Amino acid sequence: MKQVIGMVCFIVTVVAVVSNATLMLISPRIWFRIPHWARLSGSLSETKYSSGWGAVQMRVLGACFLAIMIWFLRGCVSGR
C-alpha cells in the first residue's frame, strides 16, 4: 500500500513540475493565468515576470526545471 501511495505522489509531482515548466517556457503570461495553487508560484508577481526581462527569466527557469526533470527521469530509467 505504501508503494502505491508513493508512486501516486511521485507521478503527481512529476506531472505538476513538467506541466508548470512547459507553460513557463512557452509563455509566462499563460502560466500566470492558471490558478495560484496549481502553478506553485510562491512570490513571483505577474507584473514583474509576465513581460520583458522578467519573461526571459521565467523562460530560463522553465527550461531549467525541464532539464532537471529530464535528467532525473533519465537516471530513473537507466538505473543509475
Side-chain angles (χ1 to χ4, degrees):
M1 186 65 180
K2 280 185 188 180
Q3 217 169 12
V4 172
I5 293 172
M7 285 302 291
V8 169
C9 290
F10 173 76
I11 291 169
V12 168
T13 302
V14 167
V15 168
V17 171
V18 169
S19 63
N20 272 303
T22 304
L23 284 174
M24 289 167 117
L25 188 60
I26 292 171
S27 174
R29 287 186 184 179
I30 293 173
W31 185 73
F32 277 110
R33 288 184 193 156
I34 62 176
H36 186 337
W37 59 269
R39 70 177 182 237
L40 308 169
S41 63
S43 63
L44 299 175
S45 65
E46 184 175 4
T47 56
K48 186 174 180 182
Y49 293 105
S50 65
S51 64
W53 176 242
V56 172
Q57 291 174 332
M58 285 291 281
R59 286 187 169 104
V60 169
L61 182 63
C64 289
F65 278 141
L66 278 178
I68 289 169
M69 291 306 294
I70 290 168
W71 177 62
F72 178 71
L73 291 174
R74 190 190 124 270
C76 288
V77 170
S78 69
R80 291 184 186 187

